[in-house]
Amino acid sequence: MAGLFISFEGIDGSGKSTQAKLLANAMERAGHDVVLTREPGGSAGAEEIRSLVLEGDPDRWSAETELLLFTAARRDHLERLIMPALAEGKIVITDRFADSTRIYQGTRSGDLRQMVDQLHDLVIGHEPDLTFLIDMDPDIGLSRAKGRGGTEERFEDFGADLQHKMRAGFLNLAQQYPDRFRVIDGTRDIDTVAAEVLRIAYEAVKNRKSNA
Ligand code: ADP
Ligand code: TYD
């Protein structure tokens, strides 16, 4: 049986990691075979690229080089982890996937969006079955993300204006791909969000069974 590929998307600090983990735990408890992963990263090679791209001087890479690094990381993640797990019928839950590149790289340099799409078609060519967009006002997301600390401040440091653009970009993508996107109000408390996410994920599991 083919697996199920679920992604979480949204601006920094919206609660993606929290919700991805809760969903993975709940599905595991229900007896499903689950792989929880994240981007950039998720495989050994991609995790190395993650530190190259998220740490250090923000001007270290040109926008084009950065896009290539994110895409190279995704290709490795897909080859080594995601595709093999799906082929074994597992549920793969990833914290960010290609929609993040469409929005982050595509929004920061508007003229890059075409290159983002071309590269995706050329070397990735896969979309999740289900994408949760955890949506919220960026001012809330930013203060949550800042509270978390750590050394990967690079993208969060771009500030509120950019995050507002990202939010609008994600909502646009959700309209563009209504079949796989579900927009979730991330301003509610963690358990309320998790319950809605779990209900929708189980619907997808049921549909997968009836389509199999
Ligand atoms: P993301 O992965 O989208 O950047 P996280 O899941 O790391 O977001 O959450 C950012 C911070 O906000 C964490 O400290 C987390 O505990 C907290 N948080 C997550 N979801 C909620 C929520 N629904 N309400 C309040 N705080 C939350
Ligand atoms: P992540 O660890 O998910 O950050 P957060 O938990 O704060 O949301 O992702 C790190 C940063 O990398 C985040 O600011 C978004 C950025 N990013 C891109 O710019 N392009 C991409 O393709 C991906 C996957 C992430």
Side-chain angles (χ1 to χ4, degrees), residues 108-124:
R108 277 186 49 220
S109 323
D111 47 345
L112 267 196
R113 179 57 198 274
Q114 208 183 345
M115 199 190 283
V116 169
D117 289 336
Q118 285 171 338
L119 262 179
H120 180 85
D121 291 346
L122 201 61
V123 299
I124 306 297

Side-chain angles (χ1 to χ4, degrees), residues 12 25 43 55-56 73 82 95 109-110 159 170 195 203 207-208 210:
D12 298 327
N25 290 345
S43 58
E55 291 172 22
I82 298 175
D95 182 353
S109 323
F170 275 122
E203 268 169 34
N207 288 341
R208 174 188 65 160
S210 56

Side-chain angles (χ1 to χ4, degrees), residues 12 16 50 70 74 96 101 104-105 148 155-156:
D12 298 327
K16 295 177 303 300
R50 179 185 177 100
F70 276 116
R74 178 158 310 123
R96 294 193 185 281
T101 313
Y104 281 78
Q105 280 61 52
R148 210 172 32 186
F155 286 85
E156 286 152 11

Side-chain angles (χ1 to χ4, degrees), residues 2 5 11 36 60 65 69 100-101 112-113 131 133 136 139-140 144 147-148 156 164 176 195 205 207:
F5 186 20
I11 55 171
L36 174 62
R60 187 176 184 188
T65 308
L69 288 170
S100 282
T101 313
L112 267 196
R113 179 57 198 274
T131 298
L133 170 54
M136 67 163 53
D139 298 336
I140 303 177
R144 283 186 190 170
R148 210 172 32 186
E156 286 152 11
H164 278 277
Q176 203 181 328
V205 170
N207 288 341

